PDB file of all heavy atoms in Angstrom:
ATOM      1  N   VAL B   1    -167.130  84.953-162.558  1.00 94.00           N
ATOM      2  CA  VAL B   1    -167.761  85.503-163.809  1.00 94.00           C
ATOM      3  C   VAL B   1    -167.947  84.451-164.931  1.00 94.00           C
ATOM      4  O   VAL B   1    -168.839  84.503-165.692  1.00 94.00           O
ATOM      5  CB  VAL B   1    -167.222  86.799-164.178  1.00 94.00           C
ATOM      6  CG1 VAL B   1    -167.334  87.848-163.136  1.00 94.00           C
ATOM      7  CG2 VAL B   1    -165.840  86.682-164.714  1.00 94.00           C
ATOM      8  N   SER B   2    -166.816  83.582-165.022  1.00 93.00           N
ATOM      9  CA  SER B   2    -166.941  82.583-166.012  1.00 93.00           C
ATOM     10  C   SER B   2    -168.086  81.624-165.964  1.00 93.00           C
ATOM     11  O   SER B   2    -168.604  81.272-166.856  1.00 93.00           O
ATOM     12  CB  SER B   2    -165.611  81.802-166.079  1.00 93.00           C
ATOM     13  OG  SER B   2    -165.598  80.755-167.079  1.00 93.00           O
ATOM     14  N   VAL B   3    -168.402  81.331-164.717  1.00 94.00           N
ATOM     15  CA  VAL B   3    -169.539  80.433-164.466  1.00 94.00           C
ATOM     16  C   VAL B   3    -170.857  81.074-164.908  1.00 94.00           C
ATOM     17  O   VAL B   3    -171.713  80.354-165.461  1.00 94.00           O
ATOM     18  CB  VAL B   3    -169.637  79.986-163.013  1.00 94.00           C
ATOM     19  CG1 VAL B   3    -170.773  79.030-162.654  1.00 94.00           C
ATOM     20  CG2 VAL B   3    -168.271  79.217-162.623  1.00 94.00           C
ATOM     21  N   VAL B   4    -171.016  82.272-164.614  1.00 94.00           N
ATOM     22  CA  VAL B   4    -172.374  83.023-164.732  1.00 94.00           C
ATOM     23  C   VAL B   4    -172.502  83.739-166.151  1.00 94.00           C
ATOM     24  O   VAL B   4    -173.500  84.222-166.464  1.00 94.00           O
ATOM     25  CB  VAL B   4    -172.623  83.950-163.680  1.00 94.00           C
ATOM     26  CG1 VAL B   4    -172.699  83.214-162.255  1.00 94.00           C
ATOM     27  CG2 VAL B   4    -171.750  85.064-163.599  1.00 94.00           C
ATOM     28  N   SER B   5    -171.412  83.702-166.913  1.00 93.00           N
ATOM     29  CA  SER B   5    -171.483  84.641-168.053  1.00 93.00           C
ATOM     30  C   SER B   5    -172.038  84.024-169.316  1.00 93.00           C
ATOM     31  O   SER B   5    -172.632  84.692-170.131  1.00 93.00           O
ATOM     32  CB  SER B   5    -170.004  85.106-168.444  1.00 93.00           C
ATOM     33  OG  SER B   5    -169.243  84.056-168.942  1.00 93.00           O
ATOM     34  N   GLY B   6    -171.818  82.728-169.447  1.00 88.00           N
ATOM     35  CA  GLY B   6    -172.212  82.050-170.700  1.00 88.00           C
ATOM     36  C   GLY B   6    -171.364  82.209-171.804  1.00 88.00           C
ATOM     37  O   GLY B   6    -171.469  81.695-172.941  1.00 88.00           O
ATOM     38  N   HIS B   7    -170.249  83.006-171.633  1.00 87.00           N
ATOM     39  CA  HIS B   7    -169.215  83.191-172.667  1.00 87.00           C
ATOM     40  C   HIS B   7    -169.842  83.710-173.941  1.00 87.00           C
ATOM     41  O   HIS B   7    -169.437  83.194-175.060  1.00 87.00           O
ATOM     42  CB  HIS B   7    -168.372  81.872-172.901  1.00 87.00           C
ATOM     43  CG  HIS B   7    -167.540  81.519-171.663  1.00 87.00           C
ATOM     44  ND1 HIS B   7    -166.317  81.974-171.498  1.00 87.00           N
ATOM     45  CD2 HIS B   7    -167.906  80.765-170.611  1.00 87.00           C
ATOM     46  CE1 HIS B   7    -165.760  81.528-170.337  1.00 87.00           C
ATOM     47  NE2 HIS B   7    -166.785  80.749-169.781  1.00 87.00           N
ATOM     48  N   ILE B   8    -170.763  84.567-173.869  1.00 88.00           N
ATOM     49  CA  ILE B   8    -171.328  85.175-175.159  1.00 88.00           C
ATOM     50  C   ILE B   8    -170.404  86.351-175.641  1.00 88.00           C
ATOM     51  O   ILE B   8    -170.383  87.355-174.965  1.00 88.00           O
ATOM     52  CB  ILE B   8    -172.751  85.693-174.917  1.00 88.00           C
ATOM     53  CG1 ILE B   8    -173.575  84.497-174.259  1.00 88.00           C
ATOM     54  CG2 ILE B   8    -173.371  86.176-176.189  1.00 88.00           C
ATOM     55  CD1 ILE B   8    -174.824  84.954-173.765  1.00 88.00           C
ATOM     56  N   ARG B   9    -169.776  86.194-176.679  1.00 87.00           N
ATOM     57  CA  ARG B   9    -168.846  87.242-177.250  1.00 87.00           C
ATOM     58  C   ARG B   9    -169.651  88.493-177.600  1.00 87.00           C
ATOM     59  O   ARG B   9    -170.574  88.415-178.200  1.00 87.00           O
ATOM     60  CB  ARG B   9    -167.992  86.710-178.387  1.00 87.00           C
ATOM     61  CG  ARG B   9    -167.161  85.458-178.303  1.00 87.00           C
ATOM     62  CD  ARG B   9    -166.402  84.991-179.361  1.00 87.00           C
ATOM     63  NE  ARG B   9    -165.387  86.060-179.743  1.00 87.00           N
ATOM     64  CZ  ARG B   9    -164.287  85.747-180.394  1.00 87.00           C
ATOM     65  NH1 ARG B   9    -164.106  84.446-180.981  1.00 87.00           N
ATOM     66  NH2 ARG B   9    -163.383  86.657-180.775  1.00 87.00           N
ATOM     67  N   GLY B  10    -168.967  89.574-177.112  1.00 86.00           N
ATOM     68  CA  GLY B  10    -169.595  90.870-177.432  1.00 86.00           C
ATOM     69  C   GLY B  10    -170.783  91.173-176.460  1.00 86.00           C
ATOM     70  O   GLY B  10    -171.333  92.321-176.552  1.00 86.00           O
ATOM     71  N   ALA B  11    -171.149  90.269-175.555  1.00 89.00           N
ATOM     72  CA  ALA B  11    -172.405  90.498-174.730  1.00 89.00           C
ATOM     73  C   ALA B  11    -172.000  90.323-173.193  1.00 89.00           C
ATOM     74  O   ALA B  11    -172.215  91.211-172.407  1.00 89.00           O
ATOM     75  CB  ALA B  11    -173.576  89.544-175.139  1.00 89.00           C
ATOM     76  N   THR B  12    -171.477  89.093-172.898  1.00 92.00           N
ATOM     77  CA  THR B  12    -171.263  88.788-171.514  1.00 92.00           C
ATOM     78  C   THR B  12    -169.754  88.448-171.143  1.00 92.00           C
ATOM     79  O   THR B  12    -169.503  88.012-169.987  1.00 92.00           O
ATOM     80  CB  THR B  12    -172.084  87.672-171.051  1.00 92.00           C
ATOM     81  OG1 THR B  12    -171.845  86.396-171.777  1.00 92.00           O
ATOM     82  CG2 THR B  12    -173.605  87.965-171.204  1.00 92.00           C
ATOM     83  N   ASN B  13    -168.964  88.618-172.119  1.00 94.00           N
ATOM     84  CA  ASN B  13    -167.593  88.347-171.843  1.00 94.00           C
ATOM     85  C   ASN B  13    -166.792  89.612-171.211  1.00 94.00           C
ATOM     86  O   ASN B  13    -166.754  90.694-171.879  1.00 94.00           O
ATOM     87  CB  ASN B  13    -166.798  87.912-173.163  1.00 94.00           C
ATOM     88  CG  ASN B  13    -166.793  86.391-173.372  1.00 94.00           C
ATOM     89  OD1 ASN B  13    -167.352  85.726-172.518  1.00 94.00           O
ATOM     90  ND2 ASN B  13    -166.366  86.028-174.422  1.00 94.00           N
ATOM     91  N   THR B  14    -166.287  89.479-170.075  1.00 94.00           N
ATOM     92  CA  THR B  14    -165.447  90.540-169.523  1.00 94.00           C
ATOM     93  C   THR B  14    -164.065  90.386-170.126  1.00 94.00           C
ATOM     94  O   THR B  14    -163.807  89.460-170.800  1.00 94.00           O
ATOM     95  CB  THR B  14    -165.372  90.520-167.995  1.00 94.00           C
ATOM     96  OG1 THR B  14    -164.978  89.116-167.508  1.00 94.00           O
ATOM     97  CG2 THR B  14    -166.782  90.738-167.353  1.00 94.00           C
ATOM     98  N   LEU B  15    -163.133  91.288-169.794  1.00 94.00           N
ATOM     99  CA  LEU B  15    -161.856  91.281-170.407  1.00 94.00           C
ATOM    100  C   LEU B  15    -161.045  90.016-170.085  1.00 94.00           C
ATOM    101  O   LEU B  15    -160.469  89.411-170.922  1.00 94.00           O
ATOM    102  CB  LEU B  15    -161.065  92.581-169.941  1.00 94.00           C
ATOM    103  CG  LEU B  15    -159.978  92.930-170.716  1.00 94.00           C
ATOM    104  CD1 LEU B  15    -160.280  93.087-172.216  1.00 94.00           C
ATOM    105  CD2 LEU B  15    -159.393  94.256-170.212  1.00 94.00           C
ATOM    106  N   PRO B  16    -161.058  89.466-168.767  1.00 94.00           N
ATOM    107  CA  PRO B  16    -160.389  88.263-168.648  1.00 94.00           C
ATOM    108  C   PRO B  16    -160.990  87.069-169.356  1.00 94.00           C
ATOM    109  O   PRO B  16    -160.110  86.212-169.951  1.00 94.00           O
ATOM    110  CB  PRO B  16    -160.600  87.989-167.031  1.00 94.00           C
ATOM    111  CG  PRO B  16    -160.813  89.342-166.499  1.00 94.00           C
ATOM    112  CD  PRO B  16    -161.595  90.055-167.571  1.00 94.00           C
ATOM    113  N   LEU B  17    -162.226  87.000-169.622  1.00 95.00           N
ATOM    114  CA  LEU B  17    -162.984  85.972-170.413  1.00 95.00           C
ATOM    115  C   LEU B  17    -162.584  86.142-171.943  1.00 95.00           C
ATOM    116  O   LEU B  17    -162.454  85.158-172.554  1.00 95.00           O
ATOM    117  CB  LEU B  17    -164.390  85.968-170.184  1.00 95.00           C
ATOM    118  CG  LEU B  17    -164.907  85.788-168.804  1.00 95.00           C
ATOM    119  CD1 LEU B  17    -166.392  85.711-168.788  1.00 95.00           C
ATOM    120  CD2 LEU B  17    -164.420  84.447-168.130  1.00 95.00           C
ATOM    121  N   HIS B  18    -162.483  87.461-172.274  1.00 94.00           N
ATOM    122  CA  HIS B  18    -162.037  87.688-173.686  1.00 94.00           C
ATOM    123  C   HIS B  18    -160.684  87.133-173.935  1.00 94.00           C
ATOM    124  O   HIS B  18    -160.441  86.662-175.032  1.00 94.00           O
ATOM    125  CB  HIS B  18    -162.166  89.237-173.899  1.00 94.00           C
ATOM    126  CG  HIS B  18    -161.866  89.633-175.262  1.00 94.00           C
ATOM    127  ND1 HIS B  18    -162.708  89.195-176.337  1.00 94.00           N
ATOM    128  CD2 HIS B  18    -160.853  90.446-175.853  1.00 94.00           C
ATOM    129  CE1 HIS B  18    -162.145  89.838-177.469  1.00 94.00           C
ATOM    130  NE2 HIS B  18    -161.064  90.435-177.114  1.00 94.00           N
ATOM    131  N   VAL B  19    -159.743  87.310-173.019  1.00 93.00           N
ATOM    132  CA  VAL B  19    -158.435  86.859-173.175  1.00 93.00           C
ATOM    133  C   VAL B  19    -158.452  85.313-173.350  1.00 93.00           C
ATOM    134  O   VAL B  19    -157.784  84.786-174.294  1.00 93.00           O
ATOM    135  CB  VAL B  19    -157.570  87.179-171.899  1.00 93.00           C
ATOM    136  CG1 VAL B  19    -156.124  86.481-172.056  1.00 93.00           C
ATOM    137  CG2 VAL B  19    -157.317  88.637-171.799  1.00 93.00           C
ATOM    138  N   GLU B  20    -159.234  84.590-172.522  1.00 93.00           N
ATOM    139  CA  GLU B  20    -159.315  83.143-172.733  1.00 93.00           C
ATOM    140  C   GLU B  20    -159.899  82.709-174.116  1.00 93.00           C
ATOM    141  O   GLU B  20    -159.344  81.807-174.663  1.00 93.00           O
ATOM    142  CB  GLU B  20    -160.229  82.615-171.565  1.00 93.00           C
ATOM    143  CG  GLU B  20    -160.222  81.066-171.571  1.00 93.00           C
ATOM    144  CD  GLU B  20    -161.556  80.473-170.928  1.00 93.00           C
ATOM    145  OE1 GLU B  20    -162.511  81.244-170.801  1.00 93.00           O
ATOM    146  OE2 GLU B  20    -161.433  79.352-170.376  1.00 93.00           O
ATOM    147  N   VAL B  21    -160.908  83.391-174.481  1.00 92.00           N
ATOM    148  CA  VAL B  21    -161.597  83.084-175.753  1.00 92.00           C
ATOM    149  C   VAL B  21    -160.540  83.190-176.878  1.00 92.00           C
ATOM    150  O   VAL B  21    -160.434  82.258-177.771  1.00 92.00           O
ATOM    151  CB  VAL B  21    -162.886  83.896-176.049  1.00 92.00           C
ATOM    152  CG1 VAL B  21    -163.249  83.798-177.390  1.00 92.00           C
ATOM    153  CG2 VAL B  21    -163.921  83.526-175.082  1.00 92.00           C
ATOM    154  N   LEU B  22    -159.800  84.420-176.968  1.00 92.00           N
ATOM    155  CA  LEU B  22    -158.887  84.593-177.912  1.00 92.00           C
ATOM    156  C   LEU B  22    -157.753  83.596-177.925  1.00 92.00           C
ATOM    157  O   LEU B  22    -157.272  83.204-178.912  1.00 92.00           O
ATOM    158  CB  LEU B  22    -158.350  86.015-177.881  1.00 92.00           C
ATOM    159  CG  LEU B  22    -159.272  87.141-178.112  1.00 92.00           C
ATOM    160  CD1 LEU B  22    -158.738  88.501-177.964  1.00 92.00           C
ATOM    161  CD2 LEU B  22    -159.864  87.132-179.581  1.00 92.00           C
ATOM    162  N   TYR B  23    -157.261  83.365-176.725  1.00 90.00           N
ATOM    163  CA  TYR B  23    -156.200  82.343-176.588  1.00 90.00           C
ATOM    164  C   TYR B  23    -156.582  81.013-177.140  1.00 90.00           C
ATOM    165  O   TYR B  23    -155.760  80.349-177.771  1.00 90.00           O
ATOM    166  CB  TYR B  23    -155.664  82.304-175.228  1.00 90.00           C
ATOM    167  CG  TYR B  23    -154.412  81.619-175.074  1.00 90.00           C
ATOM    168  CD1 TYR B  23    -153.123  82.109-175.275  1.00 90.00           C
ATOM    169  CD2 TYR B  23    -154.382  80.275-174.511  1.00 90.00           C
ATOM    170  CE1 TYR B  23    -151.925  81.430-175.156  1.00 90.00           C
ATOM    171  CE2 TYR B  23    -153.125  79.560-174.463  1.00 90.00           C
ATOM    172  CZ  TYR B  23    -152.045  80.141-174.769  1.00 90.00           C
ATOM    173  OH  TYR B  23    -150.737  79.472-174.553  1.00 90.00           O
ATOM    174  N   ASN B  24    -157.827  80.508-176.750  1.00 91.00           N
ATOM    175  CA  ASN B  24    -158.185  79.143-177.210  1.00 91.00           C
ATOM    176  C   ASN B  24    -158.474  79.243-178.689  1.00 91.00           C
ATOM    177  O   ASN B  24    -158.474  78.130-179.282  1.00 91.00           O
ATOM    178  CB  ASN B  24    -159.484  78.897-176.474  1.00 91.00           C
ATOM    179  CG  ASN B  24    -159.333  78.503-175.032  1.00 91.00           C
ATOM    180  OD1 ASN B  24    -158.201  78.276-174.578  1.00 91.00           O
ATOM    181  ND2 ASN B  24    -160.320  78.680-174.269  1.00 91.00           N
ATOM    182  N   ASP B  25    -158.635  80.353-179.323  1.00 90.00           N
ATOM    183  CA  ASP B  25    -158.854  80.425-180.749  1.00 90.00           C
ATOM    184  C   ASP B  25    -157.521  80.691-181.466  1.00 90.00           C
ATOM    185  O   ASP B  25    -157.551  81.028-182.678  1.00 90.00           O
ATOM    186  CB  ASP B  25    -159.785  81.568-181.091  1.00 90.00           C
ATOM    187  CG  ASP B  25    -161.231  81.207-180.712  1.00 90.00           C
ATOM    188  OD1 ASP B  25    -161.650  79.991-180.525  1.00 90.00           O
ATOM    189  OD2 ASP B  25    -162.135  82.151-180.626  1.00 90.00           O
ATOM    190  N   TYR B  26    -156.457  80.614-180.758  1.00 88.00           N
ATOM    191  CA  TYR B  26    -155.064  80.844-181.245  1.00 88.00           C
ATOM    192  C   TYR B  26    -154.826  82.222-181.825  1.00 88.00           C
ATOM    193  O   TYR B  26    -153.991  82.434-182.742  1.00 88.00           O
ATOM    194  CB  TYR B  26    -154.822  79.788-182.394  1.00 88.00           C
ATOM    195  CG  TYR B  26    -154.933  78.318-181.837  1.00 88.00           C
ATOM    196  CD1 TYR B  26    -155.969  77.588-182.131  1.00 88.00           C
ATOM    197  CD2 TYR B  26    -153.860  77.798-181.148  1.00 88.00           C
ATOM    198  CE1 TYR B  26    -156.091  76.309-181.665  1.00 88.00           C
ATOM    199  CE2 TYR B  26    -153.964  76.539-180.660  1.00 88.00           C
ATOM    200  CZ  TYR B  26    -155.142  75.746-180.964  1.00 88.00           C
ATOM    201  OH  TYR B  26    -155.192  74.510-180.487  1.00 88.00           O
ATOM    202  N   GLU B  27    -155.743  83.214-181.316  1.00 89.00           N
ATOM    203  CA  GLU B  27    -155.370  84.626-181.671  1.00 89.00           C
ATOM    204  C   GLU B  27    -154.565  85.239-180.702  1.00 89.00           C
ATOM    205  O   GLU B  27    -154.956  86.031-179.703  1.00 89.00           O
ATOM    206  CB  GLU B  27    -156.774  85.307-181.818  1.00 89.00           C
ATOM    207  CG  GLU B  27    -157.709  84.768-182.857  1.00 89.00           C
ATOM    208  CD  GLU B  27    -159.000  85.531-182.850  1.00 89.00           C
ATOM    209  OE1 GLU B  27    -159.009  86.671-182.429  1.00 89.00           O
ATOM    210  OE2 GLU B  27    -160.042  84.956-183.254  1.00 89.00           O
ATOM    211  N   SER B  28    -153.270  84.867-180.630  1.00 88.00           N
ATOM    212  CA  SER B  28    -152.240  85.184-179.662  1.00 88.00           C
ATOM    213  C   SER B  28    -152.095  86.762-179.447  1.00 88.00           C
ATOM    214  O   SER B  28    -151.999  87.227-178.437  1.00 88.00           O
ATOM    215  CB  SER B  28    -151.067  84.522-179.813  1.00 88.00           C
ATOM    216  OG  SER B  28    -150.350  84.924-181.135  1.00 88.00           O
ATOM    217  N   VAL B  29    -151.985  87.468-180.588  1.00 87.00           N
ATOM    218  CA  VAL B  29    -151.831  88.848-180.536  1.00 87.00           C
ATOM    219  C   VAL B  29    -152.966  89.512-179.795  1.00 87.00           C
ATOM    220  O   VAL B  29    -152.798  90.411-178.851  1.00 87.00           O
ATOM    221  CB  VAL B  29    -151.660  89.568-181.954  1.00 87.00           C
ATOM    222  CG1 VAL B  29    -151.581  91.004-181.784  1.00 87.00           C
ATOM    223  CG2 VAL B  29    -150.479  88.924-182.621  1.00 87.00           C
ATOM    224  N   GLY B  30    -154.243  89.243-180.124  1.00 90.00           N
ATOM    225  CA  GLY B  30    -155.390  89.836-179.383  1.00 90.00           C
ATOM    226  C   GLY B  30    -155.436  89.472-177.938  1.00 90.00           C
ATOM    227  O   GLY B  30    -155.592  90.268-177.031  1.00 90.00           O
ATOM    228  N   ALA B  31    -155.106  88.059-177.708  1.00 92.00           N
ATOM    229  CA  ALA B  31    -155.166  87.631-176.242  1.00 92.00           C
ATOM    230  C   ALA B  31    -154.087  88.380-175.459  1.00 92.00           C
ATOM    231  O   ALA B  31    -154.387  88.836-174.337  1.00 92.00           O
ATOM    232  CB  ALA B  31    -154.852  86.151-176.306  1.00 92.00           C
ATOM    233  N   PHE B  32    -152.857  88.508-175.938  1.00 93.00           N
ATOM    234  CA  PHE B  32    -151.824  89.142-175.172  1.00 93.00           C
ATOM    235  C   PHE B  32    -151.971  90.630-175.134  1.00 93.00           C
ATOM    236  O   PHE B  32    -151.581  91.389-174.134  1.00 93.00           O
ATOM    237  CB  PHE B  32    -150.436  88.800-175.723  1.00 93.00           C
ATOM    238  CG  PHE B  32    -149.988  87.473-175.297  1.00 93.00           C
ATOM    239  CD1 PHE B  32    -149.915  86.411-176.138  1.00 93.00           C
ATOM    240  CD2 PHE B  32    -149.543  87.284-173.966  1.00 93.00           C
ATOM    241  CE1 PHE B  32    -149.496  85.174-175.778  1.00 93.00           C
ATOM    242  CE2 PHE B  32    -149.067  86.034-173.634  1.00 93.00           C
ATOM    243  CZ  PHE B  32    -149.072  84.873-174.525  1.00 93.00           C
ATOM    244  N   ALA B  33    -152.634  91.209-176.164  1.00 92.00           N
ATOM    245  CA  ALA B  33    -152.977  92.599-176.170  1.00 92.00           C
ATOM    246  C   ALA B  33    -153.996  92.977-174.985  1.00 92.00           C
ATOM    247  O   ALA B  33    -153.882  93.834-174.212  1.00 92.00           O
ATOM    248  CB  ALA B  33    -153.577  93.021-177.480  1.00 92.00           C
ATOM    249  N   ALA B  34    -155.067  92.097-174.816  1.00 92.00           N
ATOM    250  CA  ALA B  34    -156.010  92.283-173.783  1.00 92.00           C
ATOM    251  C   ALA B  34    -155.386  91.974-172.503  1.00 92.00           C
ATOM    252  O   ALA B  34    -155.669  92.653-171.511  1.00 92.00           O
ATOM    253  CB  ALA B  34    -157.260  91.352-173.986  1.00 92.00           C
ATOM    254  N   ALA B  35    -154.528  90.958-172.304  1.00 93.00           N
ATOM    255  CA  ALA B  35    -153.746  90.667-171.191  1.00 93.00           C
ATOM    256  C   ALA B  35    -152.924  91.869-170.723  1.00 93.00           C
ATOM    257  O   ALA B  35    -152.701  92.110-169.572  1.00 93.00           O
ATOM    258  CB  ALA B  35    -153.047  89.318-171.329  1.00 93.00           C
TER     259      ALA B  35
END
């Protein structure tokens, strides 16, 4: 899904992709909450 999603926040990001986005943005609480 990462390949076909385009990583559009709020539109094509599934929960695993949302975890990656938050972790890369150093939003650890949100990333681990979703994880």
